[in-house]
Amino acid sequence: MVSELLKEIVRDRQDENKFSFVWVSVRMLHEQSKDKLEEYYQDDRLLKCSYFEDLEDRKIAENEVLFINWHSINRTGNTISIFMRDNEQDNNLNSVIKNTKDDGRTIILIIDESHNTASSDKSKELIEIISPKITLEVSATPQIKENIGGWVRVELSNVKEEEMIKSEISVNPEFLDIKLGTKSSDEIVIEESLKKREELAKMYATEKAKINPLMLIQLPDNKAGLMSKKEDVIKILAKKGITEKNGKLAIWLSEDKSETLPDIEKNTSEVEVLIFKQAIALGWDCPRASILVIFRELKSFTFTIQTIGRIMRMPELKYYSKEPELNKGFVFTNLPNIEIT
């Protein structure tokens, strides 16, 4: 939606108006955002997407979008801190912004996942340096503040009508008749989730869609129990023929990242299951993700929405008529109480 908005700003501008854009994202989401926008703009080439090192003449050109990692800017002792540091080449964010404005261009700042960063002191300092004509904060869970120019609410029903997201979320489908026996509740949850993943894979084949559905497993946040839970889950998956070695399992933890992660977002990726803790709960875009297994307490409403959002996106931006089950997202858990709205 923001990509289309930037196109409209550039396409419908008055002759005297010239725009440059700064897009700031948390973690490494600026890379994902840049890739997505470049793909979206590949036909008309109305806007150019760049990193700091891509800029020419130390300025943001007309209709150019500069993508910045917010955390890298705020860290010290990092090579990327050249954004903020004075140097002999005068190649820092201050000079880039000044040069851009001196060329007569209006700067528009886009803050992605603004609920996570926009109110911090460092963020306010950066906004002051950029001094944009307009700051556009983007979030699925916005923190509505005073003294803003306005805000646009996108109704969930409207997004569903556009078939961009799943029609509903199903929690623990067909769990009522299952008996534990000698199996642990973790094993039951994983087994049922894998069955559903296989069902969805067959349904995509029926729809002639080249999509390998991804199952997400979220580990508890308890550091003391994290490693034991991780190993238990890996053992259960191995019994089902899903391992890192055969490429069907990927792990995304701060201390452990699989080599297959760079391609995991592709619809045809061979990875069937991803183990994570918090890393993907914010903004990560992988529309083939269809199933979420939760072994942790969701501590805040915002975090709940952000996490469930990872399995809400439709991989082809359309609903399926032959297999309507593909239009749903699925949550499996052994938590005693869970409510998703």
Side-chain angles (χ1 to χ4, degrees), residues 192-215 242 248 267-273 288-291 315-316 320 323 325-328 330:
E192 292 304 308
S193 303
L194 290 174
K195 288 179 183 177
K196 177 56 69 174
R197 202 209 73 82
E198 289 298 323
E199 290 175 11
L200 296 180
K202 293 177 181 177
M203 292 176 188
Y204 277 121
T206 300
E207 291 280 359
K208 293 182 170 46
K210 295 181 179 180
I211 297 167
N212 186 24
L214 180 65
M215 174 175 141
I242 298 174
K248 293 184 178 182
N267 285 338
T268 55
S269 168
E270 294 182 359
V271 177
E272 298 178 358
V273 179
R288 72 183 184 97
S290 306
I291 299 170
E316 296 184 303
Y320 300 96
E323 300 288 356
E325 194 85 343
L326 295 174
N327 305 328
K328 299 179 183 179
F330 297 90

Side-chain angles (χ1 to χ4, degrees), residues 15 59-60 81 143 185 246 299:
D15 289 340
K59 63 183 72 173
I60 309 169
S81 63
Q143 306 293 326
S185 62
N246 64 19
K299 297 179 180 178

Side-chain angles (χ1 to χ4, degrees), residues 25 27-28 30 68-76 78 80-81 83-84:
S25 294
R27 299 196 179 106
M28 301 307 292
H30 69 301
I68 300 177
N69 176 288
W70 202 295
H71 293 287
S72 295
I73 294 172
N74 289 336
R75 284 202 297 265
T76 57
N78 188 298
I80 306 181
S81 63
F83 289 159
M84 309 297 289

Side-chain angles (χ1 to χ4, degrees), residues 141-200:
T141 52
Q143 306 293 326
I144 305 302
K145 300 173 291 189
E146 297 180 355
N147 301 320
I148 62 173
W151 58 286
V152 177
R153 180 186 179 93
V154 180
E155 296 292 342
L156 186 66
S157 58
N158 292 341
V159 186
K160 290 181 179 180
E161 287 177 8
E162 294 289 335
E163 302 182 1
M164 296 175 64
I165 63 173
K166 303 288 199 310
S167 60
E168 61 181 283
I169 295 292
S170 177
V171 181
N172 289 345
E174 302 175 6
F175 252 35
L176 295 178
D177 298 328
I178 294 178
K179 296 181 180 180
L180 287 177
T182 59
K183 296 179 180 179
S184 68
S185 62
D186 286 358
E187 193 168 359
I188 291 292
V189 167
I190 291 176
E191 284 185 353
E192 292 304 308
S193 303
L194 290 174
K195 288 179 183 177
K196 177 56 69 174
R197 202 209 73 82
E198 289 298 323
E199 290 175 11
L200 296 180

